[in-house]
Amino acid sequence: MSEKTEARVLKGFRDSLPGESIARSEMIKRIISVFENFGFAPIDTPALEYTTTLLGSGSGETDKQLFRFMQGKRDVAMRFDLTIPLARYVASNFSKITFPFRRYHIAPVWRGENPQRGRFREFMQCDIDIIGSHSPLADAEVMSAISFALEKLELKHLLRVNSRKLSNGWFEELDLSEKSAEILRALDKIDKIGPEKVREELNNKAEIAPEKIDKIFELIDCQGASNQETFQKLEKLSSGHEVLQSGLSELKKHLEICQDLGLSEKCIFVDLSIARGLDYYTGIVFETDLKEEKLGEGLGSIASGGRYDNLVERFSNNSLAGVGASIGLDRILSALSDSSLIPNTNSTTQVMLLNLEENISSYSLGIVSELRKAGINAEIFFGNSKLAQQFKYAEKKDIPVVLFSGSDEEKTNTFAIKNIQNGQQTKGLNRSELVKSVASAIS
Amino acid sequence: MSEKTEARVLKGFRDSLPGESIARSEMIKRIISVFENFGFAPIDTPALEYTTTLLGSGSGETDKQLFRFMQGKRDVAMRFDLTIPLARYVASNFSKITFPFRRYHIAPVWRGENPQRGRFREFMQCDIDIIGSHSPLADAEVMSAISFALEKLELKHLLRVNSRKLSNGWFEELDLSEKSAEILRALDKIDKIGPEKVREELNNKAEIAPEKIDKIFELIDCQGASNQETFQKLEKLSSGHEVLQSGLSELKKHLEICQDLGLSEKCIFVDLSIARGLDYYTGIVFETDLKEEKLGEGLGSIASGGRYDNLVERFSNNSLAGVGASIGLDRILSALSDSSLIPNTNSTTQVMLLNLEENISSYSLGIVSELRKAGINAEIFFGNSKLAQQFKYAEKKDIPVVLFSGSDEEKTNTFAIKNIQNGQQTKGLNRSELVKSVASAIS
């Protein structure tokens, strides 16, 4: 016997068993149906790109996490997100694209970060973007599509939305434009560390004077318990400040369009603390909390996005603003798997033919063939193991119904079925009513 | 302005535009529906594996084509097929798998081979396998599932089937067992170079005596114009030769079961020249020709597979025979794209709302929202460009119907639609019959 190779999976990577693959496929199918319902079209890009394409466009952190190597004389790397490849794609295919370009892209990406619970080195990204439009409709379309997709997954959620124009406008007023990224990073931590620690950080790290920090917090303090209240407070603050006013009306307009597009006002909350870490957002930004009981706890944002300027500027002189968002598919899936929200089904088989004779008869195979043609997922047990073993196989695979047709059944032109869950058996069913009987048994 | 990075795609890789992605998704959706109809369940494995897992299991050729690199201290490589990862997967997850294990796996693989027309360094594999069964039913199930999947793609095809037991049995009789791989490789070329050149190769390269080559060809000469004729000739030849008889009865049984499972006899042809290059096949083997006029020419086999012994032996002491097959998805797609068999649609949008005013009214957005809720894929034109430009956008994206609802329509609670292809316009449609009217216009 030859020497064995150890069957190992790389650290941070994982296999998907049928149950998990079925759940993921079902989720993706539902999400796609909503994206296409909103007019987004699919694209794909290579898993590998020139390293120069990927480098230096994200944070320094992602640069370090690249799976990078030499392929012959070429310095290449596996994509770490779908946004940089989209920018490269738009520049490469500029003349073939109809703008505004609405695309979705659901595909794996790779990051060599240290694996944590629920974080892997290979995971699915699930992105939509509209490239080449300044219209506020585009922002509303993207956020609505995300919300309807989550609804299609039967997930109660809250969209927490803000406008970068508010913060950027205010920092400008305070002559703090140059420090705006630093301020946003600090403000992003309010939920975690509280306002006092954020003040300390702004004072010590960002070297901002206490009176200016007070002014920064005047904006944050506009936060109300309802959108109406927040808008009223912002109204006051922005009086006489043009950029702030523009941010406020952008936000109001956004909420209006979203409601026209069918979003419930209840699922949108204006949250002035939402900054989104990435520097490139320039307008509407949003994050999404899961509102399912228990499930959402400690999960963080399950979908987020916003408006950005000029996505393709690294690759092209064409100026293209856009708006995009991403659903944290794997994060949702791992949360759902821990709950009972996604049934853990090991197969999509609906009925199995038991096999008790040396050779399966043409009569029995004809039954399976007819069921399949009627769209019923059917399989045949191979070999003539003991009945108990065949039932065990069906149970393990979550097959709800088994079917039997031995020589007696063939003589009388009948068949028998058994419901695995409740044990109910029915014999002598008429062969001519096969599809009807089985369809009703599995429903 | 910052320096530009050239937007390049790596040699042998490619982007998929929406039209191609839509076509590929549609193909995959149909194939999956058949695989699940036959009781196969999806799985996934990582794109990256330890190099030791992948090396030395295929031919030396594939070893050279690996995208291989060091990830920290780990020697890793991108998977070049889905069969070796399946073997590793079965060994890794042995206790969690219900055997016989029917899985499908549709995913990209990577090979650094020289790109040719229709061949890429990144392409989709589309595999089904049944692991852990010696039953002839398994062979028939795999071949039938492949045939029904191709039927679901509306592709006329011919399954060319053979048994490796026939050739292996005959070479054993001729005391040529050790050279059987070499002989099969030579015989595989009959179609391309003709029998005389094959004889030469067997004589010169494989150093087989002419009288033995005559004997080898006695088997090949059993080829008849019909399955019936081939079986009759094989009957004669195999008289007294046990292994040959077993191969013959295996082949007959296979055809019988396939027909019981609903395959037409007309789409199965016993072809004694089918050897399948890979050494590991041990029983039934098959290839598939496209029978569409013109399309099939020079395309080669679009789906193939067969029975093998002990897939997981490199990783485990468990002995698991199996049978599997693969559909050449990208090959079919590239052939279909050149034809008109797949409509080249740039989006899945069914209706677009024209936009002629500064702000889109709630009335209009409500119309889009209602259409979407009814499952109709709808998009909104952003911005108020000239009408001609909006129509051009709809045409480019193959959107069949546009909808208009200005202030006049809002007052009268109506809307207007226009069919882009035939130019037919209908005004004053009743808002309360929105879904009905649009559904009939797009059908």
Side-chain angles (χ1 to χ4, degrees):
Chain A
M1 185 161 285
S2 58
E3 216 178 299
K4 302 297 171 199
T5 307
E6 200 191 335
R8 287 181 302 165
V9 176
L10 283 162
K11 190 183 164 198
F13 289 77
R14 65 203 154 143
D15 289 327
S16 289
L17 289 163
E20 195 184 320
S21 296
I22 290 167
R24 185 184 285 114
S25 298
E26 176 62 25
M27 281 178 68
I28 291 176
K29 203 195 290 177
R30 292 189 191 190
I31 291 171
I32 286 178
S33 77
V34 174
F35 288 171
E36 298 195 344
N37 193 234
F38 274 74
F40 292 87
I43 66 159
D44 205 2
T45 66
L48 286 178
E49 298 271 4
Y50 281 100
T51 301
T52 48
T53 299
L54 304 183
L55 265 188
S57 38
S59 63
E61 205 50 44
T62 44
D63 284 0
K64 270 182 262 163
Q65 295 171 351
L66 280 184
F67 285 107
R68 176 182 179 177
F69 59 99
M70 295 302 292
Q71 192 248 321
K73 287 175 182 170
R74 297 183 193 91
D75 187 350
V76 303
M78 297 170 86
R79 64 180 171 217
F80 69 90
D81 74 1
L82 302 178
T83 305
I84 309 306
L86 172 62
R88 200 270 309 139
Y89 175 99
V90 169
S92 296
N93 301 285
F94 198 83
S95 64
K96 294 177 197 155
I97 292 173
T98 309
F99 293 99
F101 183 46
R102 296 160 167 260
R103 82 90 176 78
Y104 69 85
H105 193 183
I106 301 175
V109 300
W110 296 270
R111 293 184 192 173
E113 59 190 334
N114 267 336
Q116 299 164 18
R117 190 174 163 274
R119 291 228 173 188
F120 293 89
R121 289 181 169 171
E122 175 179 59
F123 58 96
M124 292 294 268
Q125 287 272 77
C126 178
D127 284 16
I128 50 171
D129 285 85
I130 300 177
I131 310 290
S133 172
H134 290 280
S135 169
L137 265 168
D139 303 69
E141 285 275 87
V142 164
M143 199 172 89
S144 304
I146 294 290
S147 180
F148 278 105
L150 295 173
E151 202 173 275
K152 195 88 174 181
L153 298 176
E154 291 163 41
L155 294 173
K156 292 193 200 91
H157 58 279
L158 183 70
L159 300 152
R160 295 161 67 211
V161 61
N162 192 10
S163 166
R164 283 290 279 264
K165 282 196 189 122
L166 287 176
S167 41
N168 291 353
W170 193 235
F171 303 156
E172 206 176 290
E173 293 284 334
L174 302 176
D175 214 13
L176 288 170
S177 286
E178 280 173 19
K179 296 193 172 174
S180 67
E182 221 171 335
I183 302 172
L184 286 172
R185 260 197 300 279
L187 290 178
D188 210 17
K189 300 179 195 160
I190 281 192
D191 277 359
K192 277 188 203 156
I193 62 176
E196 279 317 305
K197 295 259 179 198
V198 171
R199 274 174 192 272
E200 271 174 41
E201 191 171 323
L202 287 173
N203 190 227
N204 299 339
K205 275 201 202 164
E207 296 178 344
I208 297 172
E211 56 277 18
K212 283 212 173 173
I213 296 178
D214 285 345
K215 286 297 237 178
I216 291 174
F217 271 81
E218 275 183 32
L219 178 65
I220 304 302
D221 290 341
C222 286
Q223 182 65 51
S226 71
N227 297 343
Q228 214 46 48
E229 193 190 331
T230 307
F231 284 150
Q232 276 163 8
K233 289 184 175 177
L234 283 173
E235 208 89 59
K236 267 191 204 162
L237 185 73
S238 64
S239 157
H241 302 297
E242 214 174 300
V243 193
L244 223 57
Q245 278 172 346
S246 129
L248 174 58
S249 72
E250 177 184 73
L251 206 47
K252 281 181 170 175
K253 179 90 191 163
H254 181 66
L255 260 66
E256 246 176 65
I257 306 178
C258 284
Q259 280 167 251
D260 283 341
L261 288 171
L263 286 201
S264 153
E265 206 198 337
K266 278 184 291 180
C267 80
I268 312 175
F269 183 68
V270 175
D271 186 337
L272 301 175
S273 76
I274 298 294
R276 304 283 312 126
L278 288 164
D279 294 343
Y280 64 73
Y281 289 111
T282 54
I284 295 292
V285 286
F286 74 95
E287 296 189 351
T288 316
D289 291 342
L290 206 52
K291 283 288 157 198
E292 302 286 344
E293 222 170 295
K294 284 184 187 167
L295 253 190
E297 276 171 31
L299 193 64
S301 176
I302 55 161
S304 57
R307 173 167 284 283
Y308 44 77
D309 281 336
N310 211 353
L311 180 80
V312 295
E313 72 178 332
R314 282 189 52 228
F315 303 103
S316 159
N317 289 323
N318 293 297
S319 178
L320 288 169
V323 50
S326 199
I327 296 181
L329 197 70
D330 281 308
R331 196 180 283 196
I332 295 172
L333 188 63
S334 79
L336 293 184
S337 303
D338 294 344
S339 77
S340 56
L341 270 185
I342 283 192
N344 190 17
T345 308
N346 287 313
S347 82
T348 54
T349 302
Q350 298 168 295
V351 59
M352 182 183 89
L353 179 75
L354 295 171
N355 188 354
L356 294 177
E357 287 159 23
E358 189 61 40
N359 282 304
I360 286 203
S361 66
S362 298
Y363 179 76
S364 291
L365 293 178
I367 282 178
V368 172
S369 171
E370 187 175 330
L371 290 172
R372 286 173 176 168
K373 278 191 179 139
I376 292 169
N377 297 347
E379 67 176 86
I380 306 161
F381 190 88
F382 297 147
N384 52 350
S385 314
K386 280 183 187 153
L387 207 51
Q389 204 178 321
Q390 301 197 28
F391 280 126
K392 203 175 163 195
Y393 173 92
E395 268 169 51
K396 270 191 185 172
K397 290 191 69 175
D398 305 304
I399 301 172
V401 169
V402 294
L403 188 148
F404 176 70
S405 55
S407 49
D408 285 352
E409 280 76 12
E410 186 171 352
K411 271 177 217 147
T412 53
N413 210 30
T414 58
F415 64 97
I417 54 178
K418 181 176 181 172
N419 183 310
I420 291 285
Q421 266 146 3
N422 63 22
Q424 202 186 315
Q425 242 182 102
T426 323
K427 289 184 180 179
L429 287 160
N430 197 324
R431 171 71 176 78
S432 66
E433 287 176 12
L434 172 71
V435 172
K436 204 178 125 195
S437 305
V438 174
S440 107
I442 61 177
S443 67
Chain B
M1 186 162 282
S2 60
E3 216 179 300
K4 302 297 171 197
T5 307
E6 202 190 335
R8 288 181 302 167
V9 175
L10 283 163
K11 191 181 165 198
F13 290 77
R14 65 204 153 143
D15 288 326
S16 289
L17 289 163
E20 195 183 321
S21 296
I22 291 167
R24 185 184 287 113
S25 298
E26 176 62 28
M27 281 178 68
I28 291 175
K29 203 193 292 179
R30 291 189 192 191
I31 291 171
I32 286 178
S33 76
V34 174
F35 289 171
E36 297 194 344
N37 193 234
F38 274 74
F40 292 87
I43 66 158
D44 205 4
T45 67
L48 287 178
E49 297 271 4
Y50 281 100
T51 301
T52 47
T53 299
L54 304 183
L55 266 187
S57 37
S59 62
E61 204 51 42
T62 44
D63 283 0
K64 271 181 261 163
Q65 295 171 350
L66 279 185
F67 285 108
R68 175 181 179 179
F69 58 100
M70 294 303 290
Q71 193 247 323
K73 286 176 183 171
R74 299 182 190 92
D75 187 351
V76 303
M78 296 170 85
R79 65 182 171 216
F80 68 91
D81 75 1
L82 302 178
T83 306
I84 308 306
L86 172 62
R88 199 271 309 139
Y89 175 100
V90 169
S92 296
N93 301 285
F94 197 83
S95 64
K96 295 176 197 157
I97 292 173
T98 309
F99 293 100
F101 182 46
R102 299 161 165 257
R103 84 86 175 83
Y104 69 85
H105 194 184
I106 302 176
V109 300
W110 296 271
R111 292 184 193 174
E113 61 189 333
N114 267 335
Q116 299 165 18
R117 190 175 164 275
R119 289 224 175 192
F120 292 89
R121 288 181 168 170
E122 175 178 61
F123 59 95
M124 292 293 268
Q125 288 272 77
C126 178
D127 284 16
I128 49 172
D129 285 85
I130 300 176
I131 311 289
S133 172
H134 291 279
S135 168
L137 265 168
D139 303 69
E141 284 275 87
V142 164
M143 200 171 88
S144 302
I146 294 289
S147 180
F148 277 104
L150 295 173
E151 203 173 274
K152 195 87 174 179
L153 299 176
E154 291 163 41
L155 294 173
K156 293 193 200 93
H157 58 277
L158 183 69
L159 300 152
R160 296 160 67 210
V161 60
N162 193 11
S163 166
R164 283 289 281 264
K165 282 199 189 121
L166 287 175
S167 40
N168 291 353
W170 191 235
F171 303 156
E172 206 177 291
E173 292 284 333
L174 303 176
D175 214 11
L176 288 170
S177 284
E178 281 173 19
K179 297 194 171 174
S180 67
E182 222 172 335
I183 302 172
L184 285 172
R185 258 198 300 279
L187 290 176
D188 209 15
K189 301 179 194 161
I190 281 192
D191 278 357
K192 277 190 202 154
I193 62 175
E196 278 318 305
K197 294 262 180 196
V198 171
R199 274 174 191 273
E200 271 175 41
E201 190 170 322
L202 288 173
N203 189 227
N204 299 340
K205 276 202 200 162
E207 296 180 344
I208 298 172
E211 57 277 16
K212 282 212 174 172
I213 297 177
D214 286 344
K215 286 297 237 180
I216 290 173
F217 271 81
E218 275 183 31
L219 177 65
I220 303 302
D221 291 341
C222 286
Q223 182 64 51
S226 70
N227 297 343
Q228 216 42 51
E229 193 189 331
T230 306
F231 284 151
Q232 276 164 8
K233 289 183 175 178
L234 283 173
E235 208 87 61
K236 269 192 204 160
L237 185 73
S238 64
S239 156
H241 301 297
E242 213 172 301
V243 192
L244 224 55
Q245 277 171 346
S246 128
L248 175 58
S249 71
E250 177 184 71
L251 207 46
K252 282 181 169 174
K253 179 90 192 162
H254 181 66
L255 260 66
E256 247 176 65
I257 305 177
C258 284
Q259 280 167 252
D260 283 340
L261 288 171
L263 286 201
S264 152
E265 205 200 337
K266 278 185 292 181
C267 80
I268 312 176
F269 183 68
V270 174
D271 185 337
L272 301 176
S273 75
I274 298 294
R276 303 285 310 126
L278 288 164
D279 293 344
Y280 63 73
Y281 288 112
T282 53
I284 295 292
V285 286
F286 75 95
E287 296 188 352
T288 315
D289 293 341
L290 205 52
K291 282 288 157 200
E292 301 286 343
E293 222 171 294
K294 284 183 187 168
L295 253 190
E297 277 171 30
L299 193 64
S301 176
I302 53 160
S304 57
R307 173 167 285 284
Y308 45 78
D309 282 338
N310 211 355
L311 179 80
V312 295
E313 74 178 329
R314 282 189 51 228
F315 302 102
S316 160
N317 289 322
N318 292 298
S319 178
L320 287 168
V323 50
S326 198
I327 296 182
L329 196 71
D330 281 308
R331 197 180 282 197
I332 295 173
L333 188 63
S334 77
L336 292 185
S337 303
D338 294 343
S339 78
S340 57
L341 270 186
I342 283 192
N344 188 17
T345 307
N346 287 312
S347 83
T348 53
T349 302
Q350 298 168 296
V351 59
M352 182 183 89
L353 179 75
L354 295 171
N355 188 355
L356 294 178
E357 288 159 24
E358 189 60 40
N359 283 302
I360 287 204
S361 65
S362 298
Y363 180 75
S364 292
L365 293 178
I367 283 179
V368 172
S369 171
E370 186 174 330
L371 291 172
R372 285 175 176 164
K373 278 191 180 140
I376 293 170
N377 297 346
E379 67 177 86
I380 305 162
F381 190 87
F382 296 147
N384 51 350
S385 314
K386 284 186 184 148
L387 207 52
Q389 204 180 321
Q390 301 197 28
F391 281 125
K392 204 175 161 192
Y393 174 92
E395 268 170 48
K396 270 191 184 170
K397 289 191 69 175
D398 305 304
I399 300 173
V401 169
V402 294
L403 188 148
F404 177 70
S405 55
S407 50
D408 285 354
E409 279 76 12
E410 186 171 352
K411 272 176 220 150
T412 52
N413 211 28
T414 59
F415 64 97
I417 55 177
K418 182 176 180 172
N419 184 309
I420 291 284
Q421 266 146 3
N422 63 23
Q424 202 186 314
Q425 242 182 104
T426 322
K427 290 183 180 178
L429 288 160
N430 197 324
R431 172 71 178 79
S432 68
E433 287 176 9
L434 172 72
V435 172
K436 205 178 127 196
S437 304
V438 173
S440 108
I442 60 177
S443 68

